[in-house]
Amino acid sequence: MATLDDIAKMAGVSATTVSRVINNYGSLSEKTKAKVFAAMRELNYQPNSLARSLKGKKTQLIGVILPGVGNPFFGQMVQEIEDQLFKKGYRIILCNAGDDSEKERDYLRMLMANRVDGIISGSHNLGIEEYQKVGLPIISFDRYLSNNIPIVSSDNFQGGRLAAQTLMMSGSKMMEIITGANRPNSPTSNRLKGFKEILGKNDVEFNTSEIDFSSSPIIKSLKIKEILSNKKVDGIFCTDDLTALLVMQQAKDLGISIPEDLKLIGYDGTNFIQNYHPELTTIMQPIADIVTMMIDLLLKRIDDPDCKLESNYTLPVKLITGATTI
Amino acid sequence: MATLDDIAKMAGVSATTVSRVINNYGSLSEKTKAKVFAAMRELNYQPNSLARSLKGKKTQLIGVILPGVGNPFFGQMVQEIEDQLFKKGYRIILCNAGDDSEKERDYLRMLMANRVDGIISGSHNLGIEEYQKVGLPIISFDRYLSNNIPIVSSDNFQGGRLAAQTLMMSGSKMMEIITGANRPNSPTSNRLKGFKEILGKNDVEFNTSEIDFSSSPIIKSLKIKEILSNKKVDGIFCTDDLTALLVMQQAKDLGISIPEDLKLIGYDGTNFIQNYHPELTTIMQPIADIVTMMIDLLLKRIDDPDCKLESNYTLPVKLITGATTI
């Protein structure tokens, strides 16, 4: 098995430098990092397994990479992950990757070293290759990362269908979908597919507006205002609840009454939305069950890195009916 | 210096058991834990310093103990802490303590072992003694924990004064304060003191309702409904924004118009509230600056455990005027 010294020799740097690169510690040039990572790949160096075999024990730490806990959906998810893992004797190292792919990459490097037993990731900045080479047990939430990384999600397709059926039953004739920019192979794009399938079968008119998930709420609000001002929309499906809150704000400003003039349905159904916006009809993702499933799978992989797991685990969603579609 | 074996001998258990207690790993009886902790205290055992001196380096990990990231205020704070610490080469271990003092105690024990270089705590389940014996650099947010643990907070007193002045200027005559149950020596109780000082000087009538911070939103809503139904209140100060959202909901249900019949002001002013509830007048805490200050102090203490710090660091608040007081 390759050692730090082998890598140092091949990369033409000191063993200390190699250790710093692996642990992402101290200031290092991109050139040095690149040389060390190239040598690690060449020698198939597995810092984590090595460290473990040397130490003979696990760290009881799990890395959690998510877009950001400032968003109540991920806030609730992290709280649930931390709570459930704590009861099993694990602690979490939290990374809010936002849309910063360099930060996510740095965390992955750091987690690849001997710091965590496994990773839960719900982020989507990096390409497949970067997750493929991590060499640690990983479970993904709702994002395709690599062929051997299981994805846990709620039933996005059924959620989209439910949203369409609800808007149709509430009498909407001219619908708008407001969604983030989805990657084609991302499970969340199934929300759109499910929605469109129902509308297609029933010959209902609709339009799709993509607004990037990471846009600021002000930018999103401007686009929503445009949608509401220019069109005869009477039903809107937002693929997340926060965007639905912005629609409510803009509609109020424009004198459009919900649900009289406009029906509205969101997606996610966090505790926060249920508590503080019970008026919003939404599709609820079962966050606690999703987390239970992710942790169960991750601990299986930690126990036995070669255990066979499915590619996809899909949990049911629920319609929560509020006043915005009645 | 005491070793694991010394403690094991004194406690009458194996060294493995001592290690498990320190690392909070595996199932252990409360009796066993108590014996081990008693021996650790007796022998003045410092697992962290020992581990460090053995390893000769820091872990670059910081423990963050907060009530819960499901709340947008703490969600934003954790995101800010993680982001700023990441840029300085540190990662965070997150603990959502909620109102679970046993969990907070378990985390403290675990962090006392060799896992973190320091702690940021904004939780308040435990008594002074428990934080006094931790033996790690700690900085507190907005809570008195122990004489030698610096507190960083925003200017709660000035925030309370600003809230009172704003409600008075908006024409309120009969005010209600809705607040969590505050410990008398907690900095947050200064919000009330500042508010009451202004009202006292101006002979304005007011009433105070305490609703426990950890109550469910449904329980809070019932109490708010009672307040709104039974009294001629025309101005409400909530010492947190989420409670103010519940007031808005209940007022709507009861046909009370805001701001026509009732003026409302909250407290916290998170990004979330500013983005999704710009109508709410609120007192904004400078979360980013609070975090910068906490990290600055913590890193000083980590560098030099004996460095002199103040007991209190107070940062200014800002009034954000929305439609609820105009």
Side-chain angles (χ1 to χ4, degrees):
Chain A
M1 195 183 275
T3 66
L4 281 192
D5 287 319
D6 297 336
I7 296 160
K9 208 167 157 191
M10 175 169 276
V13 300
S14 70
T16 307
T17 301
V18 175
S19 165
R20 283 189 173 173
V21 170
I22 292 173
N23 292 285
N24 192 30
Y25 181 69
S27 62
L28 297 154
S29 74
E30 285 305 316
K31 204 176 147 192
T32 304
K33 287 190 205 173
K35 278 194 295 185
V36 171
F37 281 115
M40 281 168 65
R41 273 195 300 275
E42 185 72 27
L43 295 167
N44 195 24
Y45 178 70
Q46 301 283 342
N48 186 59
S49 353
L50 177 63
R52 275 196 206 161
S53 67
L54 286 176
K55 291 170 71 183
K57 65 162 185 160
K58 294 176 179 168
T59 61
Q60 300 296 118
L61 287 171
I62 302 293
V64 177
I65 304 177
L66 290 174
V69 293
N71 178 317
F73 180 82
F74 293 109
Q76 186 179 337
M77 179 168 273
V78 165
Q79 190 151 330
E80 200 59 59
I81 291 173
E82 187 268 340
D83 214 50
Q84 292 193 25
L85 278 174
F86 173 73
K87 289 177 186 150
K88 293 177 183 293
Y90 287 85
R91 270 78 57 180
I92 65 168
I93 293 185
L94 178 68
C95 165
N96 296 296
D99 53 357
D100 183 346
S101 56
E102 194 46 51
K103 184 175 179 188
E104 188 169 341
R105 192 172 288 121
D106 279 351
Y107 262 95
L108 276 182
R109 283 174 188 168
M110 182 271 297
L111 300 174
M112 274 170 75
N114 61 346
R115 296 206 186 276
V116 300
D117 295 335
I119 297 174
I120 291 174
S121 175
S123 196
H124 49 297
N125 294 312
L126 300 181
I128 298 166
E129 320 75 46
E130 320 232 17
Y131 271 94
Q132 260 170 347
K133 72 182 181 199
V134 170
L136 271 175
I138 305 180
I139 305 295
S140 166
F141 169 64
D142 227 9
R143 296 283 182 276
Y144 178 77
L145 295 176
S146 156
N147 276 331
N148 58 350
I149 296 178
I151 304 171
V152 178
S153 27
S154 60
D155 193 339
N156 290 292
F157 189 75
Q158 174 62 5
R161 285 170 50 101
L162 267 176
Q165 282 159 347
T166 307
L167 281 184
M168 277 180 54
M169 280 174 61
S170 75
S172 302
K173 306 281 181 209
M174 181 64 203
M175 298 189 196
E176 182 87 20
I177 308 170
I178 304 180
T179 185
N182 283 293
R183 298 193 179 185
N185 61 358
S186 159
T188 49
S189 66
N190 287 328
R191 289 179 201 168
L192 289 192
K193 284 186 200 143
F195 192 86
K196 289 177 182 172
E197 189 214 58
I198 294 289
L199 297 197
K201 276 188 189 160
N202 292 277
D203 291 320
V204 180
E205 278 189 87
F206 70 93
N207 184 55
T208 306
S209 298
E210 284 203 358
I211 309 180
D212 198 46
F213 179 72
S214 59
S215 300
S216 79
I218 290 174
I219 301 293
K220 285 184 185 168
S221 293
L222 283 175
K223 295 205 180 165
I224 289 165
K225 194 173 179 180
E226 216 175 286
I227 292 166
L228 291 177
S229 308
N230 293 338
K231 294 177 192 166
K232 306 213 156 149
V233 176
D234 64 0
I236 294 185
F237 170 40
C238 295
T239 59
D240 74 281
D241 288 334
L242 297 190
T243 303
L245 295 189
L246 296 178
V247 170
M248 287 163 73
Q249 251 179 52
Q250 291 302 316
K252 198 177 171 193
D253 284 0
L254 292 167
I256 299 170
S257 296
I258 297 175
E260 292 78 4
D261 309 329
L262 180 69
K263 317 290 179 187
L264 178 64
I265 184 165
Y267 205 102
D268 285 343
T270 55
N271 290 343
F272 183 85
I273 288 291
Q274 289 189 55
N275 287 327
Y276 297 100
H277 288 285
E279 74 278 17
L280 179 63
T281 297
T282 185
I283 308 295
M284 185 181 87
Q285 300 200 59
I287 298 181
D289 293 336
I290 289 170
V291 168
T292 303
M293 177 66 81
M294 291 197 293
I295 288 175
D296 185 52
L297 297 171
L298 186 63
L299 297 186
K300 271 186 190 151
R301 270 272 157 96
I302 290 173
D303 265 2
D304 173 13
D306 301 320
C307 77
K308 278 256 178 285
L309 299 176
E310 306 290 328
S311 313
N312 286 281
Y313 295 83
T314 307
L315 298 172
V317 293
K318 216 184 264 179
L319 171 69
I320 298 189
T321 306
T324 62
T325 53
I326 288 176
Chain B
M1 195 181 276
T3 66
L4 281 191
D5 287 320
D6 299 336
I7 295 160
K9 206 169 158 188
M10 174 171 275
V13 300
S14 70
T16 307
T17 300
V18 175
S19 166
R20 284 190 172 173
V21 170
I22 292 172
N23 291 287
N24 192 31
Y25 180 68
S27 61
L28 296 155
S29 73
E30 284 306 316
K31 204 176 148 193
T32 304
K33 288 190 202 173
K35 278 194 296 185
V36 171
F37 282 115
M40 283 168 64
R41 274 195 301 276
E42 184 72 25
L43 295 166
N44 196 23
Y45 178 70
Q46 301 281 341
N48 185 59
S49 350
L50 176 62
R52 277 196 207 163
S53 66
L54 286 177
K55 291 170 67 185
K57 65 163 186 161
K58 292 175 178 168
T59 61
Q60 299 296 117
L61 287 171
I62 302 293
V64 177
I65 304 177
L66 290 173
V69 293
N71 178 318
F73 180 82
F74 293 109
Q76 186 179 339
M77 179 167 272
V78 165
Q79 190 150 334
E80 200 60 60
I81 290 172
E82 187 269 341
D83 213 48
Q84 292 193 27
L85 278 175
F86 173 73
K87 288 176 185 150
K88 293 178 183 293
Y90 287 86
R91 269 79 56 180
I92 65 168
I93 292 185
L94 178 67
C95 165
N96 296 295
D99 53 358
D100 184 347
S101 55
E102 193 45 50
K103 185 175 178 186
E104 188 168 343
R105 193 172 288 121
D106 279 350
Y107 262 96
L108 276 181
R109 282 174 189 168
M110 184 271 297
L111 300 173
M112 275 170 75
N114 62 344
R115 296 206 185 275
V116 300
D117 295 336
I119 296 174
I120 291 174
S121 176
S123 196
H124 49 299
N125 294 312
L126 300 181
I128 299 166
E129 320 76 42
E130 322 233 16
Y131 271 94
Q132 260 169 347
K133 72 181 180 199
V134 170
L136 271 175
I138 304 180
I139 305 295
S140 166
F141 168 64
D142 227 10
R143 297 283 182 276
Y144 178 77
L145 295 177
S146 154
N147 275 332
N148 58 349
I149 296 178
I151 304 172
V152 178
S153 26
S154 61
D155 194 339
N156 290 293
F157 189 75
Q158 174 62 5
R161 286 170 48 103
L162 267 176
Q165 283 159 347
T166 306
L167 281 185
M168 278 179 56
M169 281 174 59
S170 75
S172 301
K173 306 282 181 211
M174 180 64 203
M175 296 189 197
E176 181 87 21
I177 308 169
I178 303 180
T179 185
N182 283 292
R183 297 191 180 189
N185 60 357
S186 160
T188 49
S189 66
N190 287 327
R191 290 180 200 167
L192 289 192
K193 284 187 198 140
F195 192 87
K196 289 177 181 171
E197 187 213 58
I198 295 289
L199 296 198
K201 275 186 189 162
N202 293 277
D203 292 320
V204 180
E205 278 189 86
F206 71 93
N207 184 54
T208 306
S209 299
E210 284 202 358
I211 309 181
D212 198 47
F213 179 70
S214 60
S215 301
S216 79
I218 291 174
I219 301 293
K220 284 184 184 167
S221 292
L222 283 176
K223 295 206 180 165
I224 289 165
K225 193 172 180 182
E226 214 176 290
I227 292 166
L228 292 177
S229 306
N230 294 338
K231 294 175 190 166
K232 305 213 157 154
V233 175
D234 65 358
I236 294 184
F237 170 39
C238 295
T239 58
D240 74 282
D241 287 335
L242 297 190
T243 303
L245 295 189
L246 296 179
V247 170
M248 287 163 72
Q249 252 180 50
Q250 291 302 316
K252 199 176 170 196
D253 284 359
L254 292 167
I256 299 170
S257 296
I258 299 174
E260 292 77 5
D261 309 328
L262 178 70
K263 316 291 180 188
L264 176 66
I265 185 165
Y267 205 103
D268 284 343
T270 56
N271 290 344
F272 184 86
I273 288 291
Q274 289 188 57
N275 286 327
Y276 297 99
H277 289 283
E279 74 278 16
L280 179 64
T281 297
T282 185
I283 307 296
M284 186 182 84
Q285 300 200 58
I287 297 182
D289 293 336
I290 289 170
V291 168
T292 303
M293 178 65 82
M294 291 196 292
I295 289 175
D296 185 52
L297 297 171
L298 185 64
L299 297 186
K300 273 185 188 151
R301 270 274 157 96
I302 290 173
D303 265 2
D304 172 12
D306 301 320
C307 77
K308 278 256 178 287
L309 299 176
E310 306 289 327
S311 313
N312 285 282
Y313 295 83
T314 306
L315 299 172
V317 293
K318 216 184 264 178
L319 172 70
I320 298 190
T321 306
T324 60
T325 52
I326 287 176

